Coordinates of all heavy atoms in Angstrom, one line a residue:
F173 N 9.4 -1.8 5.3 CA 8.9 -0.7 6.1 C 9.9 0.4 6.5 O 11.2 0.1 6.6 CB 8.5 -1.3 7.5 CG 7.2 -2.1 7.5 CD1 7.3 -3.5 7.3 CD2 6.0 -1.5 7.7 CE1 6.0 -4.2 7.3 CE2 4.8 -2.2 7.7 CZ 4.9 -3.6 7.4
L174 N 9.4 1.6 6.6 CA 10.2 2.7 7.1 C 9.4 3.3 8.3 O 8.3 3.8 8.1 CB 10.4 3.8 6.0 CG 11.0 5.1 6.5 CD1 12.3 5.0 7.2 CD2 11.2 6.0 5.3
I175 N 9.9 2.9 9.5 CA 9.2 3.3 10.7 C 9.8 4.5 11.3 O 11.0 4.5 11.6 CB 9.1 2.1 11.6 CG1 8.2 1.0 11.0 CG2 8.6 2.5 13.0 CD1 8.1 -0.2 11.8
V176 N 9.0 5.6 11.4 CA 9.5 6.8 12.0 C 8.9 7.0 13.4 O 7.7 6.7 13.6 CB 9.0 8.0 11.1 CG1 9.5 9.3 11.8 CG2 9.6 7.8 9.7
S177 N 9.8 7.4 14.3 CA 9.3 7.7 15.7 C 9.6 9.1 16.0 O 10.3 9.8 15.2 CB 10.1 6.8 16.6 OG 9.6 7.0 17.9
D178 N 8.9 9.7 17.1 CA 9.2 11.0 17.5 C 8.9 11.1 18.9 O 8.5 10.1 19.6 CB 8.5 12.0 16.6 CG 6.9 11.9 16.8 OD1 6.4 11.3 17.7 OD2 6.2 12.5 16.0
Q179 N 9.1 12.3 19.5 CA 9.0 12.4 21.0 C 7.6 12.2 21.5 O 7.3 11.7 22.5 CB 9.5 13.8 21.5 CG 11.1 13.7 21.4 CD 11.7 15.2 21.8 OE1 11.0 16.1 22.0 NE2 13.0 15.2 21.8
E180 N 6.6 12.8 20.7 CA 5.2 12.6 21.0 C 4.9 11.2 21.2 O 4.2 10.8 22.1 CB 4.3 13.3 20.0 CG 2.9 13.3 20.3 CD 2.0 13.9 19.2 OE1 2.3 13.5 18.1 OE2 1.2 14.7 19.5
E181 N 5.3 10.4 20.2 CA 5.0 9.0 20.3 C 5.7 8.2 21.4 O 5.2 7.4 22.1 CB 5.4 8.2 18.9 CG 5.1 6.8 19.0 CD 5.8 6.0 17.8 OE1 7.1 6.3 17.7 OE2 5.2 5.1 17.2
Q182 N 7.0 8.6 21.6 CA 7.8 8.0 22.7 C 7.3 8.2 24.1 O 7.3 7.3 24.9 CB 9.3 8.4 22.6 CG 10.0 7.7 21.4 CD 11.2 8.6 20.8 OE1 11.8 9.4 21.5 NE2 11.6 8.3 19.6
A183 N 6.6 9.4 24.2 CA 6.1 9.6 25.6 C 4.8 8.7 25.9 O 4.5 8.6 27.0 CB 5.6 11.1 25.6
L184 N 4.3 8.1 24.9 CA 3.1 7.2 25.1 C 3.6 5.8 25.7 O 2.8 5.0 26.1 CB 2.3 7.0 23.9 CG 1.7 8.3 23.2 CD1 1.1 8.0 21.9 CD2 0.6 8.7 24.2
L185 N 4.9 5.5 25.6 CA 5.4 4.2 26.0 C 4.6 3.1 25.4 O 4.1 2.2 26.2 CB 5.4 4.2 27.5 CG 6.2 5.3 28.2 CD1 6.1 5.2 29.7 CD2 7.8 5.1 27.9
L186 N 4.4 3.1 24.2 CA 3.6 2.0 23.5 C 4.4 0.7 23.5 O 5.6 0.8 23.6 CB 3.4 2.5 22.0 CG 2.5 3.7 21.8 CD1 2.6 4.2 20.4 CD2 1.1 3.5 22.3
P187 N 3.7 -0.4 23.4 CA 4.5 -1.7 23.4 C 5.6 -1.6 22.2 O 5.3 -1.2 21.1 CB 3.5 -2.7 23.0 CG 2.2 -2.1 23.4 CD 2.3 -0.7 23.3
S188 N 6.8 -2.0 22.5 CA 7.9 -1.8 21.6 C 8.7 -3.1 21.6 O 8.5 -4.1 22.2 CB 8.7 -0.7 22.1 OG 9.3 -0.9 23.4
G189 N 9.8 -3.1 20.8 CA 10.7 -4.2 20.7 C 10.0 -5.4 20.1 O 9.3 -5.2 19.0
I190 N 10.0 -6.5 20.8 CA 9.4 -7.8 20.2 C 7.8 -7.6 20.3 O 7.1 -8.5 19.8 CB 9.8 -9.1 20.9 CG1 9.5 -9.0 22.4 CG2 11.3 -9.3 20.7 CD1 9.5 -10.4 23.1

Side-chain angles (χ1 to χ4, degrees):
F173 283 93
L174 168 54
I175 290 181
V176 176
S177 185
D178 63 15
Q179 286 176 359
E180 184 184 48
E181 181 197 45
Q182 284 155 21
L184 295 169
L185 301 173
L186 300 170
S188 62
I190 61 162

